[in-house]
Amino acid sequence: MSSITTTRLQKRTWIVAAVVGAAALLATAGIDTAGGTDDTRLTGTVLAHASDAALAELGPGTVTDAHRRTAPGPPYAVETRLANGVEVTVELDASFAVVWVSAPGWLGDAAAGLPARALDGAEHASVERTSAEQVALAEVGGGTVTRFVRSDAVDHAFEVEVTLTNGTRKVIELTQRSEVVRPSGATG
């Protein structure tokens, strides 16, 4: 074997070893690519904080997946299954505050003989309303929700009126995903 061939073989061996070593290091650090996307699974204390925040919002349940998102929007997504079988995704901001809750459906309960089903309109509307109200209250720093309206406007899906402790009313406009479009000034 020539010295050039030996040198190339050594370089390839070194590159393969480096790639394998880097993969092992990432696995040891608890970083895992989620489902072939650029999202990474949460581990360690970040997973604990995200799980605690999601379950504090929802009540008893099990975290089935949690990952850091690279797409625009909230950086953390926590997927859960509630005790009643409903799967809920909770999105969190960088400080682990809840910014969106979604309830896509019911997986059923094989032990109880209950089949999987989608949430009905009333159940889904209740989840949307609760999520929008919580985001509106967080936006203004507290108060009492005095009105909730689905909007036909192009730029927002919900309008939530919050009455502050001093009597001032504010209307918060939100998207379908309960993201604030714009807070309004006092209404009365």
Side-chain angles (χ1 to χ4, degrees):
M1 199 182 300
S2 74
S3 65
I4 293 174
T5 304
T6 303
T7 304
R8 285 185 184 160
L9 185 57
Q10 288 173 339
K11 283 183 181 178
R12 286 185 192 154
T13 303
W14 171 248
I15 291 170
V16 169
V19 169
V20 169
L25 180 63
L26 288 175
T28 303
I31 298 174
D32 182 24
T33 300
T37 67
D38 291 334
D39 294 352
T40 53
R41 292 190 196 287
L42 301 182
T43 59
T45 57
V46 175
L47 173 61
H49 289 306
S51 298
D52 290 347
L55 294 175
E57 177 73 17
L58 301 172
T62 303
V63 172
T64 58
D65 190 22
H67 53 275
R68 183 184 326 269
R69 299 172 45 186
T70 56
Y76 300 112
V78 180
E79 297 172 18
T80 64
R81 181 172 298 129
L82 302 181
N84 64 4
V86 173
E87 284 196 340
V88 179
T89 300
V90 178
E91 292 183 357
L92 308 167
D93 67 14
S95 65
F96 301 102
V98 174
V99 295
W100 185 68
V101 177
S102 168
W106 162 274
L107 289 181
D109 184 347
L114 299 173
R117 68 173 176 83
L119 294 179
D120 67 28
E123 291 168 320
H124 193 67
S126 175
V127 170
E128 286 181 330
R129 179 178 180 147
T130 300
S131 180
E133 289 176 350
Q134 290 171 347
V135 171
L137 288 168
E139 178 69 22
V140 297
T144 303
V145 173
T146 50
R147 187 173 63 93
F148 172 86
V149 178
R150 282 192 165 275
S151 175
D152 292 329
V154 174
D155 66 340
H156 64 279
F158 309 114
E159 295 172 5
V160 180
E161 181 182 81
V162 177
T163 301
L164 305 177
T165 55
N166 66 6
T168 303
R169 288 181 288 170
K170 295 194 175 235
V171 176
I172 311 301
E173 296 174 352
L174 304 148
T175 66
Q176 185 71 31
R177 294 177 57 102
S178 292
E179 295 168 329
V180 175
V181 173
R182 75 182 141 266
S184 76
T187 61

